[in-house]
Amino acid sequence: LPKKSDMERKIELVEYARTTRLLFIRLLALVKWASSAGNLTKCDEVSRALEQRSLIYVDAADQLMTLARTTLVNASLPNFSLAGAIDVLTLGKYPRLPTCIHDNIVSLPPLPREESLRVCTELEHVIQQRLAITALPQKFLTSSKIANGQVQFTVPFEFEVHLTVLGDDPMLPWRLLKLDILVGSKHTSMMETSIHPQQKDYLHKLLQSRLFTDQSPLLDLYNTLHTFCMALKLELLHLQVQLFSSQVAGDHVKVEEYFPGKLLRIGYWRHDTSQHYLSNFTMEQLSMTGKILITIGGTSSCDLSFVLEHTPALADCDACEACEMLDVRLMIDKCVNTRSKMILQDLLMLFKNTVFEPHDWTRLILRKHNQLYKS
């Protein structure tokens, strides 16, 4: 300001006074407004609450519109069943249920006896025709029985099946109605080895599935059941030997080897050298253990049977018949009897053809025994 003229300094002072006055006016207005700020704050809060409520109303309206246009379209009340109501009120019942309910729940009335006999007779003719053009195993040819609209095949001591067909179409498969396993022994206290019902059901389903797919269904049916029954018979023999060993024979009769469905090796006349009165001879010389080997053999599945081998070999022994009868005790008795006769016959020939002193009897008997059973 000192460098400016007098007029310019006056103008500057006036401007400064004016600016300061405006600032004081604003400050005064602010002080006066601060005395009533509480009311203004309340008004602002009320305004914001109203705006929030308005947004909620708008969102509720939008949601109701969406619900009405999408969800409630299919949620309308159905038409009232006036016809059903009239039937119930007038007739006392409702005859308009779907027929599938009646077909699936209510059983059909039985056929008259004359109609049943006629259908069974026609079905037996169809079965006879099917059997005439179907390959059959040899045992089915002699054991078939047709009655009551089904054919029954029985293989003694093995199985029994009941089959039928559902029509005269040659392409229709056989139906397995009933399956019985007849494997068992009537000659011992240990009766037949029954299979579990679940195993029987599984076998039934397996046979039925093979009847659907196989080109020679009855041959395959016989082969499957015959193989199963032979394995079951071998299992029964194994159980009988174990029972006989534990209850009667002890360590003198034992199962030496067993493969389910393949072979069974039985050892009898099992002795320990410590219990023998001639301890100066070797184990090979004193061993009289006989072995019976039972295997399932045959050229095909149709002619599987038990093959019995004895060590040492026995002549004219009918133990195989006892094996087919599933009687282990009888089989061992026959083997022991035959073997004892052979030993006694050899000793008789030895006594007739040899001159010896009395004190050499035991040594010569054991020497002959060793010669016999080394071979």
Side-chain angles (χ1 to χ4, degrees):
L1 291 179
K3 295 181 179 180
K4 294 181 180 182
S5 61
D6 183 55
M7 185 57 67
E8 290 176 351
R9 287 196 296 268
K10 290 180 181 180
I11 292 173
E12 289 291 338
L13 290 174
V14 171
E15 288 293 334
Y16 175 76
R18 180 175 173 277
T19 304
T20 305
R21 180 175 175 274
L22 291 175
L23 290 176
F24 276 106
I25 291 173
R26 291 179 181 178
L27 182 60
L28 180 61
L30 182 61
V31 171
K32 290 183 178 181
W33 175 81
S35 61
S36 60
N39 296 330
L40 294 176
T41 303
K42 292 180 181 179
C43 292
D44 185 55
E45 292 177 354
V46 170
S47 177
R48 272 188 264 180
L50 292 175
E51 290 179 359
Q52 186 68 25
R53 187 61 58 86
S54 177
L55 292 176
I56 293 175
Y57 289 154
V58 171
D59 184 68
D62 294 339
Q63 294 292 335
L64 290 175
M65 181 60 68
T66 303
L67 187 65
R69 291 182 178 180
T70 58
T71 306
L72 295 180
V73 172
N74 300 323
S76 58
L77 285 175
N79 295 327
F80 296 105
S81 179
L82 298 179
I86 293 173
D87 291 335
V88 172
L89 293 176
T90 57
L91 302 178
K93 59 182 180 179
Y94 185 71
R96 302 176 184 270
L97 289 174
T99 57
C100 63
I101 299 177
H102 182 276
D103 297 338
N104 294 330
I105 297 178
V106 181
S107 60
L108 297 176
L111 291 175
R113 180 174 177 79
E114 295 77 8
E115 185 69 15
S116 300
L117 293 176
R118 184 184 65 81
V119 172
C120 289
T121 303
E122 294 180 358
L123 194 57
E124 290 171 4
H125 293 325
V126 173
I127 293 175
Q128 291 177 352
Q129 180 183 6
R130 289 287 296 273
L131 293 178
I133 61 176
T134 303
L136 295 175
Q138 184 64 32
K139 291 190 177 181
F140 277 7
L141 294 175
T142 58
S143 64
S144 62
K145 179 181 178 182
I146 300 176
N148 298 325
Q150 56 184 323
V151 58
Q152 173 185 336
F153 296 111
T154 303
V155 179
F157 302 108
E158 288 194 9
F159 61 87
E160 179 181 299
V161 292
H162 295 254
L163 301 171
T164 189
V165 290
L166 300 183
D168 55 357
D169 188 357
M171 301 304 295
L172 289 175
W174 290 92
R175 295 282 181 170
L176 180 60
L177 301 178
K178 184 180 179 182
L179 169 64
D180 290 326
I181 302 298
L182 307 179
V183 175
S185 174
K186 298 181 180 179
H187 303 279
T188 62
S189 59
M190 184 177 186
M191 295 304 290
E192 64 181 61
T193 303
S194 59
I195 62 176
H196 195 274
Q198 291 184 355
Q199 293 176 319
K200 187 175 180 180
D201 293 340
Y202 174 78
L203 185 60
H204 189 116
K205 294 178 181 178
L206 175 63
L207 294 172
Q208 185 60 68
S209 65
R210 297 177 73 91
L211 289 175
F212 284 153
T213 58
D214 200 271
Q215 295 181 353
S216 300
L218 298 184
L219 279 175
D220 184 76
L221 174 71
Y222 174 78
N223 293 339
T224 304
L225 284 175
H226 183 56
T227 304
F228 174 78
C229 290
M230 292 302 296
L232 192 59
K233 287 181 179 181
L234 193 65
E235 175 68 20
L236 178 58
L237 291 174
H238 175 244
L239 294 177
Q240 286 188 15
V241 173
Q242 288 184 328
L243 185 63
F244 180 66
S245 175
S246 62
Q247 294 182 355
V248 180
D251 292 335
H252 297 286
V253 176
K254 286 291 183 182
V255 176
E256 296 186 352
E257 189 178 8
Y258 175 62
F259 290 100
K262 294 183 179 180
L263 63 88
L264 172 64
R265 191 187 306 275
I266 306 170
Y268 67 94
W269 278 1
R270 297 162 54 90
H271 295 283
D272 190 2
T273 55
S274 61
Q275 299 177 357
H276 205 278
Y277 66 92
L278 292 176
S279 59
N280 57 337
F281 288 88
T282 63
M283 181 64 184
E284 182 180 1
Q285 292 173 328
L286 294 176
S287 177
M288 300 180 65
T289 300
K291 296 182 179 180
I292 304 173
L293 176 62
I294 305 173
T295 58
I296 299 176
T299 57
S300 63
S301 300
C302 293
D303 56 355
L304 291 179
S305 61
F306 285 132
V307 178
L308 190 144
E309 299 178 4
H310 192 280
T311 305
L314 299 180
D316 299 331
C317 181
D318 56 350
C320 190
E321 180 181 355
C323 180
E324 293 290 344
M325 295 167 59
L326 303 182
D327 192 347
V328 167
R329 294 192 181 188
L330 181 61
M331 178 184 64
I332 295 177
D333 288 343
K334 287 182 178 293
C335 291
V336 170
N337 188 22
T338 303
R339 189 176 176 192
S340 300
K341 289 180 179 179
M342 289 179 59
I343 294 174
L344 292 176
Q345 290 175 359
D346 292 339
L347 289 176
L348 179 61
M349 295 300 296
L350 180 64
F351 291 153
K352 288 182 178 180
N353 300 329
T354 306
V355 178
F356 52 86
E357 296 297 332
H359 62 273
D360 292 333
W361 289 3
T362 303
R363 188 177 301 276
L364 290 174
I365 291 173
L366 290 174
R367 184 182 303 169
K368 183 60 178 176
H369 176 270
N370 189 24
Q371 293 175 358
L372 287 174
Y373 295 105
K374 267 188 175 181
S375 62

